């Protein structure tokens, strides 16, 4: 179950607008850093990777999964879920993202279970709409509880 696989301390609704995508990445990775999932350099690695490769992690309209390579500061596998009140513009053709799923993967295999459960939830457009409209961490947890 996704609800049991995700550290609930890595889930939050950000109640203020963030204009720069770099600030959004720093905000979401700070949660991972504070809980010992990544080092302080991980946010910079994501930002540099985006400059180098573009916003490859914008999955679809409204959803982005910022991440970088494991050797750039990942200490253990974790996933942060953050909902922003207005979309963060990463420069993707898919448009801005309100839902940031910040991934810290220790290697290419250990996060598969979380990604599979997450994709089950996100395949339903109604769940995406509910997540986008969420105004509290409790609402987010209630949505993922079914997965």
């Amino acid at each position: 179950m996704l609800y049991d696989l995700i550290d609930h301390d890595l889930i939050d609704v950000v109640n203020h607008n963030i204009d720069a995508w770099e600030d959004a990445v720093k905000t979401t990775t700070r949660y991972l850093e504070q809980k010992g999932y990544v080092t302080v350099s991980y946010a910079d690695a994501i930002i540099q990777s985006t400059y180098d490769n573009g916003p490859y992690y914008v999955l679809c309209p409204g959803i982005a999964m910022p991440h970088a390579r494991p050797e750039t500061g990942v200490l253990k596998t974790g996933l942060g879920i953050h909902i922003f009140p207005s979309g963060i513009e990463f420069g993707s053709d898919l448009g801005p993202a309100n839902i940031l799923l910040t991934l810290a993967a220790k290697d290419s295999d250990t996060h598969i279970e979380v990604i599979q459960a997450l994709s089950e939830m996100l395949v339903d457009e109604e769940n995406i709409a509910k997540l986008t409209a969420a105004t509290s961490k409790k609402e987010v947890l209630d949505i993922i509880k079914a997965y």
Side-chain angles (χ1 to χ4, degrees), residues 85-135:
S86 61
I88 308 298
E89 185 56 65
F90 289 93
S92 169
D93 293 341
L94 297 172
N98 292 76
I99 303 167
L100 269 62
L101 310 167
T102 308
L103 178 64
K106 187 71 179 144
D107 58 56
S108 60
D109 296 325
T110 56
H111 66 290
I112 297 297
E113 190 176 2
V114 172
I115 298 298
Q116 287 174 333
L118 191 61
S119 63
E120 285 179 34
M121 179 180 71
L122 296 176
V123 74
D124 184 343
E125 289 184 22
E126 186 176 320
N127 287 331
I128 295 171
K130 286 179 186 177
L131 284 171
T132 300
T135 58

Side-chain angles (χ1 to χ4, degrees), residues 7 10 31-33 35-39 73-78 104:
D7 182 339
L10 301 178
Y31 285 78
L32 292 162
E33 182 188 337
K35 293 286 289 179
Y37 288 88
V38 300
T39 65
V74 177
L75 301 172
K76 61 183 179 179
T77 298

Side-chain angles (χ1 to χ4, degrees), residues 13-14 16 18 24 27-28 82-88 97-100 132:
V13 173
V14 178
H16 60 279
I18 294 181
T27 296
T28 61
H82 293 86
I83 313 301
F84 289 84
S86 61
I88 308 298
N98 292 76
I99 303 167
L100 269 62
T132 300

Side-chain angles (χ1 to χ4, degrees), residues 2-77:
L2 184 61
Y3 185 83
D4 297 324
L5 292 172
I6 293 180
D7 182 339
H8 296 187
D9 289 336
L10 301 178
I11 299 170
D12 205 1
V13 173
V14 178
N15 290 314
H16 60 279
N17 290 326
I18 294 181
D19 295 323
W21 65 266
E22 296 93 337
D23 292 336
V25 168
K26 289 176 184 176
T27 296
T28 61
T29 56
R30 192 172 307 118
Y31 285 78
L32 292 162
E33 182 188 337
Q34 290 171 348
K35 293 286 289 179
Y37 288 88
V38 300
T39 65
V40 68
S41 64
Y42 193 61
D44 292 334
I46 294 172
I47 291 167
Q48 188 59 54
S49 181
T50 306
Y51 287 141
D52 294 344
N53 304 305
Y56 55 91
Y57 47 73
V58 177
L59 305 177
C60 63
I63 301 175
M65 186 180 283
H67 62 281
R69 300 206 39 87
E71 64 271 12
T72 61
V74 177
L75 301 172
K76 61 183 179 179
T77 298

